[in-house]
Amino acid sequence: MKKIFTLFTFLTFAFAAFAADTYVFTDKDGNTIANGTTITCNDAEVDDFGGVLVKSGLFIKNVAAPSNYQVSVEANITRIDNGAVQLCFPVNCFSYDTLGKHGGDGKKALAQGESQNIQTEWLPTAYGESIVEYTAKIFQGVFQKETYTVTVHYIYADPAGVASVDAANVQPVQRYDIMGRQITVGQRGLHIVRMSDGSVRKVISK
């Protein structure tokens, strides 16, 4: 009976160790985002070039993976009203503007406890929404061991709550040069213009 109990205890601990998450998604503060969760991101920022971006704030973290485990990140775009989605993992950044699965080719091993910002964000060109499923694929060598998925619902909405704007009333609200410096009307060259409806345009002023 004692041998059976010992074997049961061993198998219980072995199963618990096997079932433990190896890589997880976290927010910028290190809080784990549960597998299968959907989060909403609607804080729009203006980048250095006058464009708009909505960040996910997602990080990938090794919580219990051995050193011979690697992880890749895949973005499955299920909705994109406009613009493009950017994903930066494991090293380079790529932008995608079509529905379907993207990325997931490069792999990286992080040390236990280490996390990395995957710098994924939506770059809208007008008001709208984008929905992306991010999946961490965990590998031991060439064998895929498990997956971990978080869905991000990006929203870029009119802050005034106006659903639509008459195109005739759309006006420039900010102008930037190609270095991202705000400028005034009358300067020559290529301008990046942010419109009152939230869209971004490139204009050549002669």
Side-chain angles (χ1 to χ4, degrees):
M1 183 67 181
K2 184 176 180 181
K3 290 182 178 180
I4 294 176
F5 177 78
T6 302
L7 177 61
F8 175 78
T9 304
F10 172 78
L11 291 175
T12 300
F13 279 107
F15 177 78
F18 176 79
D21 291 322
T22 53
Y23 280 88
V24 301
F25 286 114
T26 72
D27 62 19
K28 61 182 178 61
D29 297 318
N31 300 308
T32 298
I33 302 173
N35 191 15
T37 298
T38 297
I39 62 175
T40 299
C41 299
N42 54 13
D43 291 331
E45 303 177 16
V46 178
D47 64 20
D48 293 337
F49 299 99
V52 177
L53 56 86
V54 183
K55 296 180 179 180
S56 72
L58 285 182
F59 284 68
I60 188 74
K61 180 179 181 180
N62 179 352
V63 292
S67 59
N68 63 337
Y69 276 45
Q70 293 181 302
V71 62
S72 68
V73 178
E74 177 183 85
N76 181 23
I77 303 175
T78 60
R79 173 176 177 174
I80 184 164
D81 291 348
N82 56 72
V85 171
Q86 178 175 273
L87 173 64
C88 302
F89 189 85
V91 178
N92 298 320
C93 295
F94 295 94
S95 295
Y96 309 102
D97 59 4
T98 58
L99 299 177
K101 296 179 179 180
H102 306 280
D105 300 324
K107 302 174 187 175
K108 183 173 183 178
L110 301 176
Q112 285 194 9
E114 181 183 2
S115 63
Q116 178 174 326
N117 186 353
I118 63 174
Q119 297 179 5
T120 182
E121 53 205 25
W122 177 39
L123 310 171
T125 56
Y127 296 131
E129 300 178 29
S130 180
I131 299 176
V132 187
E133 298 173 349
Y134 295 100
T135 299
K137 296 183 176 180
I138 297 92
F139 294 85
Q140 183 181 26
V142 298
F143 300 103
Q144 184 174 316
K145 304 294 289 184
E146 58 187 277
T147 60
Y148 197 101
T149 300
V150 170
T151 299
V152 178
H153 184 187
Y154 298 99
I155 300 174
Y156 178 41
D158 183 349
V162 180
S164 62
V165 179
D166 187 341
N169 295 325
V170 176
Q171 301 293 329
V173 293
Q174 292 174 317
R175 291 175 181 266
Y176 299 83
D177 62 17
I178 59 174
M179 299 301 293
R181 297 172 297 212
Q182 190 164 355
I183 58 176
T184 57
V185 178
Q187 297 187 33
R188 296 181 179 180
L190 175 63
H191 298 174
I192 300 170
V193 182
R194 186 179 183 192
M195 310 300 290
S196 58
D197 67 347
S199 62
V200 178
R201 304 178 185 178
K202 293 181 180 179
V203 178
I204 298 178
S205 181
K206 298 181 180 180

